């Protein structure tokens, strides 16, 4: 209640913005007031000429006329002054603001004074006090300030007017006039207060809008997390730098920076600490490259456009500082460098090249920096080719699944296949997933390939079933990004299964351990849905990443695919065997069945069988092969289809 009253009376503190807006609106009102006043005074000049000279026929006397109209002249000049100030008023200029105050107050005081004088005379002569009322209305509308100030001001003016007349007239002011005067004051006060609140509300709304706008503009060019510029800004500014006629493109280089292993820092210390780390790293980069164009592209990737001269020292400085930020996780600072080949090269394309060069240092302890040269350019062109021709390759049927046999360890009979994508290209020849999968993931188009493979697998299964040939379940590989990039990955699969009438137990869904370690809600939900609708979930590449066993307990995997890395050094290293034993038991304990990948020798197969691993897959049993080859091998008895899957 008290707060409500305080607010109504304007005791609540306004922001500087609201105060300024209210003043600006006062100045805007001044234009109308000034124009009305000027018009009225000019009319009065004419009116006096007409009434006192023309109609009566008295000869014109200039000095007398001036005497008679001098009050109007003062008002006219004050009005003109106010009009000029209001017209030239500049919102953001302190001096004009002050001038605005002075002009409105001066105008109000002068108008009130004349209103007072005229109405005093009028009242004494038994006439209405209209001049005072009008003038007080002007002043009130011009000086919309906080309600309590307006109330005090108006009350003061009205009381002064009333007490002067009350003292001057015999027997005091007439009661009826007192009541009228009081009512007018009250009415005017209420109007002024309501105008104030309206204006305050409008100003507050605009303030919020402008703040939101500024935020949007900031978001447009700043990276929210690190507070340095973002890629959008980088590309725009880089284009401007190269558009400068005086610049020599040979003086500049593009630098792509990748903080390798940052993911592990995140995993270990959490998201918040990871974000702080990125913020500090961004700051270090900006410091080291002062005067250059620096931005964060995304994740742990940064972009720099800098001078060739001095770049080496700067790179070294920032690398040292970032590495020394902490010693718990080995963060590699990797650089890709691209020297622009012309002035007209598109900054995005240039960054792509630097980025590609940087990608060649990935997972290499001996290499922190890669310069984009002719050799790198060949790889880059192939990568561009892959991205630009994905759809063409899908449509033309250049992309198709190859099938790698999965067998029961106990008797070597065929119990399934893994569908592995192959791209047989007329220009580049045989492309393996290692060539195109990482590229398609980088460019976030991997889902197009996966959708194509899923459909091919369903079609191949359908054909085999229609022809009455024996079929085995096929495992398909989901990329982590599929769940992000496909509208609805589960629905997509369901639709294919429906279209080709495939029993759900004929499809196994493989998801890598690293995909679920990110633990995104979307992936978790999708996996639950897949599991609930009857697909077996296979955990791919178990043991290849750093992810924790902890995440595993939250998912319902049917089969654990033990990564082929466990077989490295199998022959010479006794520890490899005990580790394999341990992992097979672990799967058992977690109520998953096990499959070991990458089995290449009889000895390995023998060992795994003894260890209790249920399924085996690897070159020893067969490389991935085309559907027709698989069919031939089943026909010729190379593979004996298991009775039970
Ligand atoms: P992955 O899912 O772990 O597939 C197993 C990879 O190991 C295959 O490589 C296979 O050819 C290879 N391999 C199988 N047995 C042996 C062996 O005994 N020794 C050796 N050294 N290697 C063996 P590939 O076909 O090159 O695929 C590589 C990776 O590409 C796959 O790893 C998978 O992550 C990805 N990939 C393949 N096809 C697809 C696909 O259709 N969609 C998605 N998203 N990823 C795919
Ligand atoms: Ca796989
Ligand atoms: Ca695998």
């Amino acid at each position: 209640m008290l707060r409500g009253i305080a607010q109504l009376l304007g005791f609540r503190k306004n922001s500087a913005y609201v105060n300024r807006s209210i003043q600006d609106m006062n100045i805007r009102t001044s234009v109308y007031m000034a124009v009305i006043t000027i018009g009225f005074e000019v009319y009065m000049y004419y009116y006096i000429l007409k009434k006192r000279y023309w109609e009566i026929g008295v000869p014109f006397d200039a000095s007398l006329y001036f005497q008679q109209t001098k009050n109007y002249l003062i008002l006219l000049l004050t009005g003109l002054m106010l009009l000029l100030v209001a017209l030239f008023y500049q919102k953001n200029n302190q001096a004009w603001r002050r001038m605005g105050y002075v002009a409105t107050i001066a105008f109000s005081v002068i108008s009130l004074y004349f209103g007072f004088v005229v109405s005093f005379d009028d009242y004494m002569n038994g006439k209405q006090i209209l001049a005072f009322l009008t003038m007080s209305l002007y002043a009130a509308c011009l000086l919309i300030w906080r309600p309590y100030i307006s109330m005090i001001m108006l009350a003061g003016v009205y009381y002064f007017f009333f007490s002067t007349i009350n003292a001057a007239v015999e027997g005091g002011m007439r009661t009826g006039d007192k009541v009228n005067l009081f009512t007018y004051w009250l009415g005017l006060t209420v109007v002024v207060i309501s105008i104030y609140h309206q204006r305050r509300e409008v100003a507050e709304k605009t303030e919020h809008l402008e703040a939101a706008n500024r935020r949007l503009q900031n978001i447009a060019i700043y990276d929210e997390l690190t507070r340095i510029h973002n890629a959008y800004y980088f590309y725009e500014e880089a284009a401007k730098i190269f558009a400068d006629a005086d610049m020599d493109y040979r003086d500049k280089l593009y630098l792509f920076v990748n903080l390798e292993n940052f993911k592990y820092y995140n995993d270990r210390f959490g998201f918040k600490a990871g974000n702080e780390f990125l913020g500090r790293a961004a700051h270090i980069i900006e410091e080291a490259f002062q005067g250059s164009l620096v931005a964060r592209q995304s994740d742990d990737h940064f972009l720099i456009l800098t001078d060739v001269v001095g770049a080496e020292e700067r790179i070294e400085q920032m690398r040292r500082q970032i590495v020394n930020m902490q010693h718990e996780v080995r963060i590699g600072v990797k650089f890709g460098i691209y020297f622009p080949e012309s002035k007209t090269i598109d900054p995005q394309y240039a960054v792509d090249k630097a980025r590609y060069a940087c990608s060649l240092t990935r997972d290499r302890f001996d290499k922190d920096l890669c310069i984009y040269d002719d050799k790198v350019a060949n790889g880059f062109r192939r990568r561009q080719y892959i991205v630009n021709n994905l759809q063409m390759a899908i449509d033309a049927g250049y992309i198709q699944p190859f099938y790698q046999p999965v067998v029961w360890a106990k008797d070597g009979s065929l119990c399934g296949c893994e569908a592995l994508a192959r791209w047989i290209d007329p220009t580049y020849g045989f492309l393996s997933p290692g060539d195109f999968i990482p590229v398609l993931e980088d460019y976030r188009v991997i889902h197009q390939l996966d959708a194509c493979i899923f459909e091919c697998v369903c079609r191949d299964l359908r054909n085999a079933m229609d022809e009455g040939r024996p079929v085995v379940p096929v495992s398909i590989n989901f990329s982590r990004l599929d769940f992000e990039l496909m509208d609805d990955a589960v629905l997509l699969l369901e639709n294919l299964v429906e279209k080709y009438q495939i029993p759900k137990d004929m499809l196994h869904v493989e998801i890598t351990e690293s995909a679920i370690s990110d633990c995104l809600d979307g992936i978790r939900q999708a996996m639950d849905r897949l599991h609930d609708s009857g697909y077996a979930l296979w955990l791919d590449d178990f043991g290849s990443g750093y992810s924790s066993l902890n995440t595993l307990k939250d998912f319902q995997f049917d089969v654990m695919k033990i990564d082929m890395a466990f077989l490295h050094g199998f022959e010479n290293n006794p520890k490899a065997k005990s580790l394999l034993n341990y992992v097979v038991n672990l799967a058992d304990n977690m109520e998953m069945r096990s499959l070991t990948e990458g089995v290449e020798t009889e000895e390995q197969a023998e060992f795994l069988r003894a260890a209790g691993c249920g399924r085996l897959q690897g070159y020893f049993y067969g490389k991935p092969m085309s559907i027709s080859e698989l069919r031939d091998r089943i026909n010729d008895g190379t593979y004996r289809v298991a009775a039970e899957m």
Side-chain angles (χ1 to χ4, degrees):
M1 172 79 177
L2 270 178
R3 278 188 61 192
I5 294 175
Q7 169 158 2
L8 188 75
L9 294 179
F11 285 112
R12 205 185 65 172
K13 207 165 156 27
N14 287 331
S15 66
Y17 179 93
V18 171
N19 284 339
R20 276 205 311 273
S21 306
I22 291 180
Q23 194 206 344
D24 294 345
M25 291 192 244
N26 278 342
I27 299 288
R28 233 169 292 144
T29 319
S30 313
V31 178
Y32 308 118
M33 292 304 169
V35 168
I36 294 171
T37 310
I38 293 167
F40 187 66
E41 304 316 323
V42 168
Y43 174 76
M44 285 312 285
Y45 267 84
Y46 162 78
Y47 181 79
I48 287 174
L49 263 186
K50 188 173 141 217
K51 280 277 170 222
R52 305 225 171 133
Y53 297 97
W54 299 342
E55 281 182 8
I56 310 170
V58 179
F60 180 69
D61 176 342
S63 76
L64 185 64
Y65 182 61
F66 179 71
Q67 266 297 319
Q68 287 162 340
T69 57
K70 73 170 185 304
N71 286 351
Y72 301 125
L73 184 64
I74 293 174
L75 277 171
L76 181 66
L77 291 178
T78 327
L80 274 173
M81 171 222 35
L82 185 64
L83 184 65
L84 287 176
V85 171
L87 287 180
F88 289 100
Y89 178 77
Q90 283 168 10
K91 278 184 187 183
N92 300 321
N93 180 313
Q94 194 60 32
W96 274 106
R97 282 194 167 278
R98 233 170 275 139
M99 201 108 83
Y101 270 119
V102 173
T104 40
I105 294 176
F107 178 83
S108 304
V109 169
I110 290 171
S111 323
L112 277 171
Y113 170 75
F114 283 112
F116 182 91
V117 172
V118 172
S119 286
F120 184 80
D121 278 351
D122 285 349
Y123 194 84
M124 289 307 173
N125 296 327
K127 291 196 231 157
Q128 300 283 358
I129 53 165
L130 284 177
F132 175 73
L133 297 183
T134 313
M135 289 309 176
S136 65
L137 183 69
Y138 276 28
C141 290
L142 267 190
L143 305 178
I144 299 285
W145 288 334
R146 287 158 177 259
Y148 71 92
I149 301 181
S150 304
M151 275 169 82
I152 293 173
M153 239 165 43
L154 284 175
V157 169
Y158 271 72
Y159 183 74
F160 183 67
F161 181 71
F162 159 74
S163 58
T164 315
I165 290 184
N166 207 36
V169 188
E170 236 176 273
M173 200 185 228
R174 288 183 296 269
T175 311
D177 291 340
K178 274 189 218 165
V179 173
N180 281 343
L181 196 63
F182 179 77
T183 319
Y184 199 88
W185 166 77
L186 196 65
L188 192 54
T189 307
V190 170
V191 168
V192 166
I193 291 178
S194 95
I195 294 179
Y196 169 83
H197 283 295
Q198 264 172 21
R199 287 186 178 179
R200 202 205 65 223
E201 251 170 49
V202 170
E204 275 173 357
K205 265 189 207 143
T206 327
E207 184 181 20
H208 286 147
L209 273 179
E210 283 189 6
N213 245 339
R214 263 197 309 279
R215 227 176 100 78
L216 278 180
Q217 271 166 1
N218 263 338
I219 290 175
I221 63 164
Y222 281 104
D223 171 50
E224 282 232 86
L225 188 92
T226 58
R227 309 307 308 151
I228 70 172
H229 284 115
N230 62 12
Y232 169 81
Y233 178 84
F234 184 91
Y235 297 136
E236 296 275 303
E237 289 304 302
K240 283 185 206 157
I241 290 173
F242 279 88
D244 180 355
D246 294 333
M247 77 88 66
D248 185 346
Y249 68 89
R250 283 163 297 202
D251 294 342
K252 297 278 177 198
L253 63 85
Y254 281 93
L255 199 55
F256 185 92
V257 185
N258 175 29
L259 304 184
E260 206 167 63
N261 284 347
F262 174 71
K263 187 177 173 310
Y264 302 125
Y265 186 91
N266 242 344
D267 285 350
R268 184 146 163 210
F269 299 108
F271 227 59
K272 194 160 163 266
N275 286 349
E276 274 166 24
F277 183 94
L278 280 181
R280 276 187 294 152
H283 194 68
I284 287 175
I285 299 175
E286 228 179 20
E287 286 271 289
F289 285 92
Q290 253 176 31
S292 305
L293 193 54
V294 175
R296 172 168 174 250
Q297 190 192 42
S298 63
D299 308 316
D300 44 13
H301 304 154
F302 296 89
L303 311 176
I304 300 164
L305 176 61
T306 189
D307 294 334
V308 172
V309 178
E312 218 177 313
E313 294 77 27
R314 289 169 167 217
I315 289 175
E316 189 40 38
Q317 178 194 337
M318 80 166 251
R319 202 191 59 77
R320 210 179 37 244
Q321 289 186 3
I322 292 181
V323 167
N324 288 333
M325 262 166 69
Q326 51 80 45
H327 297 283
E328 285 91 348
V329 174
R330 221 195 78 92
I331 300 259
V333 188
K334 301 292 182 106
F335 301 93
I337 294 184
Y338 172 66
F339 295 98
E341 288 143 289
S342 78
K343 231 175 133 82
T344 51
I345 182 136
D346 174 23
Q348 287 203 39
Y349 195 50
V351 163
D352 252 8
K353 292 182 168 187
R355 179 182 174 142
Y356 177 70
C358 187
S359 75
L360 300 181
T361 65
R362 205 180 278 167
D363 298 328
R364 287 192 49 181
F365 293 113
D366 58 328
K367 198 168 166 153
D368 282 344
L369 187 147
C370 176
I371 295 175
Y372 187 95
D373 56 15
D374 287 349
K375 205 168 135 236
V376 175
N378 278 334
F380 182 76
R381 273 193 286 277
R382 188 160 77 162
R383 186 180 151 102
Q384 293 301 106
Y385 178 84
I386 287 169
V387 179
N388 294 335
N389 291 281
L390 173 66
Q391 197 54 53
M392 176 279 295
I394 290 175
D395 295 342
Y398 298 153
I399 293 176
Q400 42 173 285
F402 267 37
Y403 295 92
Q404 186 177 33
V406 176
V407 301
W408 286 122
K410 58 179 191 295
D411 61 3
S413 61
L414 187 71
C415 63
C417 287
E418 177 173 6
L420 292 157
R422 296 291 180 264
W423 179 331
I424 303 158
D425 191 84
T427 314
Y428 281 97
F430 194 91
L431 294 168
S432 74
D435 296 322
F436 56 83
I437 301 267
V439 179
L440 299 180
E441 286 191 330
D442 263 6
Y443 283 83
R444 301 173 69 83
V445 287
I446 182 72
H447 59 297
Q448 297 178 15
L449 173 113
D450 280 340
C452 156
I453 295 293
F454 298 169
E455 175 138 24
C456 292
V457 166
C458 290
R459 203 182 46 217
D460 287 346
L461 276 170
R462 181 75 260 153
N463 288 342
M465 288 190 286
D466 286 349
E467 291 161 16
R469 286 186 278 111
V471 285
V472 289
V474 179
S475 21
I476 49 179
N477 288 282
F478 266 90
S479 161
R480 175 180 58 86
L481 289 175
D482 288 341
F483 299 105
E484 222 177 288
L485 301 172
M486 289 175 176
D487 285 339
D488 184 338
V490 182
L491 190 65
L492 180 121
L493 192 61
E494 291 278 65
N495 287 342
L496 287 172
V497 161
E498 170 78 27
K499 177 172 167 194
Y500 291 97
Q501 290 293 303
I502 308 292
K504 287 182 182 176
D505 57 4
M506 288 311 265
L507 290 176
H508 301 150
V509 170
E510 287 193 18
I511 296 171
T512 61
E513 196 191 0
S514 54
I516 59 160
S517 73
D518 287 347
C519 221
L520 299 171
D521 279 350
I523 296 190
R524 178 185 298 268
Q525 279 166 16
M527 288 176 60
D528 286 346
R529 279 168 65 205
L530 284 168
H531 194 266
D532 293 346
S533 43
Y535 300 97
L537 294 184
W538 288 24
L539 175 61
D540 202 1
D541 298 349
F542 177 79
S544 67
Y546 284 63
S547 49
S548 68
L549 294 172
N550 226 9
T551 44
L552 289 188
K553 71 174 181 347
D554 303 333
F555 294 92
Q556 302 169 303
F557 285 105
D558 302 275
V559 172
M560 173 193 281
K561 288 189 85 171
I562 301 169
D563 195 74
M564 61 186 85
F566 284 99
L567 286 173
H568 287 162
F570 174 85
E571 273 74 22
N572 316 318
N573 189 347
K575 282 189 190 155
K577 292 185 180 166
S578 60
L579 198 57
L580 265 172
N581 257 318
Y582 173 77
V583 179
V584 171
N585 278 328
L586 176 76
D588 224 26
N589 290 337
M590 295 185 76
E591 292 172 349
M592 286 186 234
R593 285 181 289 163
S594 52
L595 181 162
T596 305
E597 295 187 83
V599 179
E600 292 183 351
T601 63
E602 167 116 54
E603 196 198 347
Q604 291 172 345
E606 199 54 53
F607 171 82
L608 288 162
R609 187 179 312 132
C613 179
R615 290 175 168 93
L616 303 174
Q617 177 184 354
Y619 293 170
F620 180 65
Y621 296 101
K623 293 196 169 179
M625 58 194 89
S626 66
I627 181 72
S628 59
E629 190 179 350
L630 179 69
R631 193 174 46 207
D632 294 347
R633 295 283 188 83
I634 293 177
N635 283 342
D636 70 15
T638 312
Y639 296 117
R640 185 168 46 81
V641 175
E644 215 193 320
M645 305 294 162

